Amino acid sequence: MKAVYVEDAEKVEVKNIEKPEIKENEVLIKVSVAGICGSDIHTYKGLHPFRKPPVVIGHEVAGEIVEIGHDVSRVKIGDRVTVEPQLGTGESEGEMTGNINYSDERLAPGMDDWLGTMADYFVSPESLVIPLPESVSYDRGVLAEPLAVGVHASLKANIQLTDRVAILGAGPIGLLTLAAVRADGVENTIVTDLLDYSLQVADELGAKETFNIKDQKDWINTVKEKMGGSFDKVLITAGVPGIVNDALKLLKKGGRAVTVAMFHNQQQIDVEQLQQNEKEIIGCMTYNRPDTEKAISIIEENNIPIENVISHRIGAERAAEGFRMVDKKEDQSVKVLVTFND
């Protein structure tokens, strides 16, 4: 079968490897589409904390079950599915509390001997497989995993209907976080970014306002003026230097910022803002099953055109081009899907 490897930093190759065998509690999925995620780009650049080259990359997937293990009973051959790609292992606070994202040890595609989703076939434990409604295409179904990140971020922010909400960053995670917030009926939203074409997608997803902060020295005050004041909640979906303090400056007294993006460099934090104004910074890590289930419901309801985040569909043989495109923001790329078994 074809499999997409990140061989080394910024080096992607497609190889032919043996189709994997399944265990008694696993299923084999014939992959239709796999998404290139921001965390995949971190692996591509050699920066990911636990997913290291060489590795079959990918954790977003949609496809059809073609084989099931002897102990599998909840799903069957022919089911159209996606996967929640994280597994708690060993004794941990996460497993004891039902929050798998808290697990002391987590297994994900691209770790140990679990191959990633960018291949003709992908093996998953039955417990992580989630059937897709018939009305949901594979292209939209593959967005369930990144949308679940946005759903969990909205939950951690405790966003209320009347809140004024800023989302800092219009990459795929920022846009799908916007979709999650809008699905909850929140209207007073603004999205900031440096790229007009990404902000156009935010408009299409229902942002009340968008703002390009490029070369805008006083953008924080400008954004506040556009929205009529400081913000109740700020969702940080770009891990760039200084962005946490920017979020604090946007917040009203008692407001809450949530860190959604993956950060690799230390951030300076203005403790005076936290203490004197009782502002909060909340961490946010992936999602749990209720978040994924809600994400699929949002997709099924089809009230928000989340498929607008998809800018490119490319065959597996062009995977290296896709990774470069996402990394370098080429060809107005937003969400790039890699297709298999066409």
Side-chain angles (χ1 to χ4, degrees):
M1 71 172 187
K2 296 190 301 293
V4 177
Y5 276 81
V6 174
E7 279 289 304
D8 205 343
E10 301 188 22
K11 183 180 180 183
V12 173
E13 293 184 2
V14 179
K15 297 183 178 181
N16 286 311
I17 63 173
E18 292 294 321
K19 185 168 69 172
E21 296 183 0
I22 61 172
K23 299 175 183 176
E24 291 186 343
N25 66 338
E26 294 177 336
V27 306
L28 185 67
I29 299 169
K30 183 179 180 181
V31 176
S32 175
V33 288
I36 298 179
C37 175
S39 64
D40 294 329
I41 296 300
H42 289 292
T43 303
Y44 170 72
K45 296 177 75 69
L47 299 173
H48 200 282
F50 55 79
R51 198 177 279 119
K52 301 294 186 182
V55 61
V56 177
I57 195 64
H59 59 273
E60 301 171 357
V61 66
E64 178 186 349
I65 294 177
V66 293
E67 187 180 341
I68 62 174
H70 182 267
D71 293 340
V72 171
S73 60
R74 188 173 55 82
V75 295
K76 63 185 185 301
I77 292 173
D79 281 355
R80 305 168 64 258
V81 297
T82 186
V83 170
E84 186 180 273
Q86 59 176 3
L87 190 66
T89 59
E91 292 295 327
S92 70
E93 181 180 350
E95 289 189 285
M96 289 187 289
T97 62
N99 298 293
I100 297 302
N101 61 336
Y102 291 177
S103 294
D104 299 326
E105 297 179 23
R106 291 169 62 249
L107 186 63
M111 295 176 62
D112 296 342
D113 60 353
W114 192 5
L115 302 181
T117 61
M118 288 191 192
D120 284 327
Y121 295 92
F122 173 66
V123 172
S124 173
E126 179 193 18
S127 61
L128 305 183
V129 174
I130 305 175
L132 291 174
E134 284 299 323
S135 62
V136 174
S137 68
Y138 287 139
D139 281 9
R140 294 173 69 233
V142 78
L143 299 176
E145 193 273 346
L147 179 57
V149 174
V151 170
H152 191 66
S154 181
L155 175 71
K156 295 295 289 185
N158 190 28
I159 294 175
Q160 306 300 308
L161 275 175
T162 57
D163 278 351
R164 189 179 290 121
V165 179
I167 297 172
L168 308 186
I173 291 297
L175 292 169
L176 291 170
T177 298
L178 168 66
V181 172
R182 291 289 296 118
D184 284 337
V186 180
E187 295 185 358
N188 293 322
T189 57
I190 188 168
V191 180
T192 66
D193 201 86
L194 301 172
L195 300 172
D196 286 334
Y197 67 83
S198 291
L199 292 173
Q200 174 60 40
V201 180
D203 284 328
E204 296 166 5
L205 295 180
K208 183 176 181 179
E209 296 281 354
T210 60
F211 190 71
N212 190 323
I213 66 172
K214 187 176 182 179
D215 301 325
Q216 299 286 334
K217 292 183 179 180
D218 196 28
W219 69 269
I220 290 174
N221 285 328
T222 302
V223 165
K224 288 181 181 179
E225 290 171 4
K226 285 176 73 71
M227 293 296 289
S230 298
F231 290 82
D232 300 277
K233 310 287 165 55
V234 178
L235 299 168
I236 304 169
T237 55
V240 297
I243 199 166
V244 174
N245 273 344
D246 289 342
L248 290 174
K249 292 174 185 176
L250 286 166
L251 284 173
K252 71 176 188 180
K253 293 182 179 181
R256 175 177 290 187
V258 177
T259 59
V260 188
M262 182 177 286
F263 292 84
H264 289 291
N265 298 311
Q266 290 190 348
Q267 291 273 329
Q268 299 249 333
I269 296 177
D270 186 347
V271 177
E272 185 177 353
Q273 287 268 11
L274 292 177
Q275 186 170 18
Q276 294 193 6
N277 298 308
E278 289 199 341
K279 298 178 181 181
E280 300 176 347
I281 302 173
I282 302 293
C284 181
M285 178 64 177
T286 63
Y287 39 73
N288 288 301
R289 182 56 56 87
D291 305 311
T292 305
E293 292 172 346
K294 183 173 179 179
I296 291 176
S297 294
I298 292 170
I299 294 170
E300 185 178 18
E301 289 167 2
N302 201 25
N303 295 324
I304 298 172
I306 64 162
E307 64 277 3
N308 288 19
V309 306
I310 301 170
S311 58
H312 297 76
R313 294 178 88 257
I314 60 175
E317 68 281 357
R318 296 175 57 200
E321 176 186 348
F323 273 82
R324 187 188 68 249
M325 195 185 304
V326 175
D327 180 37
K328 304 297 184 184
K329 309 295 185 186
E330 295 175 352
D331 197 25
Q332 298 192 0
S333 62
V334 184
K335 187 67 172 179
V336 176
L337 302 185
V338 181
T339 64
F340 295 85
N341 295 297
D342 280 353

